[in-house]
Amino acid sequence: MAHIALIGASGNVGTRILKELSDRSHRVSAIARHPEKIQAWPGVVALKGDIGDEAALAALLAGHDAVISSVKFLDSDFDRLTGAVRAAGVKRFLVVGGAGSLEVAPGQRLVDQPDFPAQYKQEALQGAVFLDRLKAVDDLDWTFLSPSALFVPGERTGTFRVGTDQLLSTASGSSISFEDYAIAMADEIEHPRHSRRRFTVGY
């Protein structure tokens, strides 16, 4: 059983990760701007936190075995977020990533394709920058988990593929449910296989 801090615990993805961790009997500090929105599952403590206040966030993160960030990249400040993790003395840092930086062909990112949805492009580009900056970090044991192109609510099947930097797809497209993504994130916490690396999951 691990003691995990989850930033952005009330969001679509954060909620699924929180439920998965609770179901596996981990203790979770669920951090959000509106903690009243957080589900009262076993082992979960809801905390009010602002990712813009590095010192206050560090105080919330102290004493945990791992930190997960499930916050939109456009709402994040890389330096403040990683600075808070460092100041808290937590080494394990996992990030809910995006699909945009995955390759669809050698040297060709999904986000750079002409049919990439315009409404998601800035978030995807910021996620790519976040990943590039993480790659230069050597004092945190980080992991960046990218979903597939279609990332939506769905079933918890427990059946999916794991990849590295290439977009996973089938004849019917590229997708993963929030629920199965949460399984992959919890698995990585329990059995780390992607230290200082990005990986991806999809059907």
Side-chain angles (χ1 to χ4, degrees), residues 4-5 51 85 181:
I4 302 157
I51 59 173
V85 176
Y181 178 97

Short mmCIF file of all heavy atoms in Angstrom, two decimals, residues 4-5 51 85 181:
data_model
loop_
_atom_site.label_atom_id
_atom_site.label_comp_id
_atom_site.label_asym_id
_atom_site.label_seq_id
_atom_site.Cartn_x
_atom_site.Cartn_y
_atom_site.Cartn_z
N ILE A 4 -0.15 8.18 -1.80
CA ILE A 4 -0.02 8.89 -3.08
C ILE A 4 -0.73 10.23 -3.03
O ILE A 4 -1.86 10.33 -2.53
CB ILE A 4 -0.60 8.03 -4.22
CG1 ILE A 4 0.11 6.68 -4.28
CG2 ILE A 4 -0.50 8.74 -5.56
CD1 ILE A 4 -0.69 5.59 -4.95
N ALA A 5 -0.11 11.25 -3.58
CA ALA A 5 -0.75 12.55 -3.74
C ALA A 5 -1.18 12.69 -5.19
O ALA A 5 -0.37 12.51 -6.10
CB ALA A 5 0.22 13.68 -3.36
N ILE A 51 -2.10 24.85 -7.63
CA ILE A 51 -0.80 24.55 -8.23
C ILE A 51 0.00 25.81 -8.52
O ILE A 51 1.18 25.72 -8.84
CB ILE A 51 -0.95 23.72 -9.52
CG1 ILE A 51 -1.80 24.47 -10.56
CG2 ILE A 51 -1.55 22.36 -9.22
CD1 ILE A 51 -1.84 23.79 -11.90
N VAL A 85 7.34 19.38 -6.01
CA VAL A 85 7.65 17.96 -5.78
C VAL A 85 9.03 17.83 -5.14
O VAL A 85 9.22 17.07 -4.18
CB VAL A 85 7.56 17.16 -7.10
CG1 VAL A 85 7.98 15.71 -6.87
CG2 VAL A 85 6.16 17.22 -7.68
N TYR A 181 -7.00 3.53 -18.73
CA TYR A 181 -5.81 4.36 -18.52
C TYR A 181 -5.45 4.39 -17.04
O TYR A 181 -4.27 4.29 -16.67
CB TYR A 181 -6.09 5.78 -19.04
CG TYR A 181 -4.96 6.75 -18.84
CD1 TYR A 181 -4.05 7.02 -19.86
CD2 TYR A 181 -4.79 7.43 -17.63
CE1 TYR A 181 -3.00 7.92 -19.68
CE2 TYR A 181 -3.75 8.32 -17.44
CZ TYR A 181 -2.86 8.57 -18.47
OH TYR A 181 -1.83 9.47 -18.28
#
